[in-house]
Amino acid sequence: MYRYGVLTLGIAAGVLLIGSGGNMNALVPLFAIGVFVGFTVAQVGMVRHWRAERTSGWAWRAALNGFGALLTAVAALVTTAMKFTEGAWLIVLALPLLVAGMQRVRAAYEHIGDRLTLGPDCVDPRVIGSPAIVLVPVSGVSELSRMALSAAVTMTPAPVTIRVCHPHESTADFTRQWQARYPYTELILIEDTDNSVGLSLARYIRTHLAADRVSVVVATIEPATRWHRLLPTHRADEIAHALRKHSDAMVCQIAFRIDPAHRDLSPRA
C-alpha cells in the first residue's frame, strides 16, 4: 500500500547521497532543518487542537506547545541562515514544493470523495438497474469475443457488439461469419475515422449515444508467461484509455488468461 511512498523516499535519499558525494556531514544540516520544521508544524497543530477542544487546562497546554513551536521555528531559521550556502537552500526549495504537492493530493481525494458521496435521499437499487446499452468491441469471430459477450450478458440480456473497420475494408465476410455464429446479437460496424479504435469508438458514443447510459466491455488477454508480457498486446488498454478520456461511457475492462498447457481462455481470478 505504501510502496510508492517508500520508493520515492528511497530515490530521494539516493539522489541526496550522490549529490553530497557520500559526505554524511554535509547532510546533517538538512536533517536538522527538517526536524526543526517538523517539530514546529506538530506543535502548531497541537495549539490548534487545544484551542478547538478547550478541555480542562487547555490554556497552559496551548501556551506550552506555542512556546515550543517558537523555539523550534527560531532554531530552524537560524540553522537555515547559517547553512544556506552549504546546501540548506535545497530544503528551502523542496519544502514548499512538497507542501504544495501534498495539498494537491488532498484536494484530489476530497474531490473524489465529494463525487462519490451519496445524497440524503433513499435509493432503490432496482430503480438504478443496468446500463441502457452495453457495447462489446470485437475485432473478429474468436474465443476472446465469445468470452467478452458472455461477460456482457451478465450486465444486460441484449449486449450490442461493435466493430471498428478500416477505411475501404470489405465487411461482407466478417458480417456473414458473425451472423452465422451469433445470429441474435446486434452488430454495429463503424469506420475508423481517427486512426485509432478507441477514439473512433468514443466518437461514435458521443455522436449517437450521448443521451444514453453506456457501458463498454473491453476484453484483454492476461499474459500466461513472462515472455508473453514482452509482446505488444496492449490494444485493449489503449481502447479503454481513449474511452475514459474522450467519452462518458463506463468502461469495464475484463482480463482473460490463456492457459499455457491447454491454450484455452479463462477469466482471471
Side-chain angles (χ1 to χ4, degrees):
M1 179 178 179
Y2 302 104
R3 60 182 181 275
Y4 297 116
V6 174
L7 180 62
T8 302
L9 288 176
I11 294 175
V15 171
L16 287 176
L17 189 60
I18 294 173
S20 63
N23 183 8
M24 300 303 295
N25 291 327
L27 298 178
V28 171
L30 303 184
F31 171 76
I33 296 171
V35 169
F36 287 138
V37 171
F39 285 164
T40 302
V41 173
Q43 296 196 88
V44 169
M46 288 303 301
V47 172
R48 296 184 60 183
H49 167 76
W50 294 125
R51 293 189 61 184
E53 294 293 329
R54 294 183 179 271
T55 56
S56 177
W58 71 270
W60 71 265
R61 290 186 173 91
L64 180 62
N65 286 129
F67 182 66
L70 177 62
L71 292 180
T72 53
V74 171
L77 290 174
V78 171
T79 306
T80 302
M82 293 178 59
K83 301 295 184 179
F84 187 82
T85 58
E86 299 179 17
W89 61 269
L90 182 60
I91 291 294
V92 176
L93 178 65
L95 279 181
L97 294 177
L98 287 173
V99 172
M102 288 185 285
Q103 288 287 352
R104 289 287 301 272
V105 171
R106 177 180 179 179
Y109 279 117
E110 289 179 347
H111 175 70
I112 294 173
D114 292 340
R115 294 293 300 272
L116 296 180
T117 301
L118 287 175
D121 299 332
C122 297
V123 178
D124 186 351
R126 296 171 297 179
V127 176
I128 300 175
S130 59
I133 298 176
V134 177
L135 294 179
V136 183
V138 296
S139 59
V141 182
S142 64
E143 184 67 11
L144 184 62
S145 298
R146 186 189 71 81
M147 295 294 289
L149 276 175
S150 298
V153 167
T154 64
M155 303 172 64
T156 178
V160 179
T161 55
I162 185 168
R163 182 173 187 265
V164 179
C165 306
H166 298 293
H168 313 297
E169 175 186 354
S170 177
T171 59
D173 291 341
F174 173 80
T175 302
R176 183 171 57 254
Q177 294 175 16
W178 186 266
Q179 290 179 346
R181 187 70 180 269
Y182 306 103
Y184 304 107
T185 303
E186 180 181 355
L187 173 64
I188 298 175
L189 301 178
I190 63 174
E191 185 176 349
D192 186 358
T193 56
D194 297 274
N195 294 322
S196 168
V197 174
L199 292 178
S200 298
L201 287 171
R203 180 186 294 272
Y204 179 86
I205 292 172
R206 293 197 311 268
T207 303
H208 300 279
L209 304 174
D212 299 308
R213 298 193 311 273
V214 180
S215 285
V216 183
V217 177
V218 180
T220 184
I221 298 175
E222 180 73 12
T225 63
R226 294 181 179 179
W227 163 246
H228 289 171
R229 294 181 184 275
L230 301 177
L231 302 178
T233 57
H234 306 293
R235 172 171 290 186
D237 296 333
E238 297 172 359
I239 293 174
H241 176 74
L243 289 172
R244 293 188 180 102
K245 184 176 181 180
H246 299 285
S247 75
D248 294 329
M250 182 178 68
V251 180
C252 304
Q253 198 165 356
I254 302 174
F256 298 97
R257 186 176 65 87
I258 297 180
D259 191 326
H262 301 91
R263 299 180 180 274
D264 59 346
L265 286 177
S266 59
R268 186 180 62 178

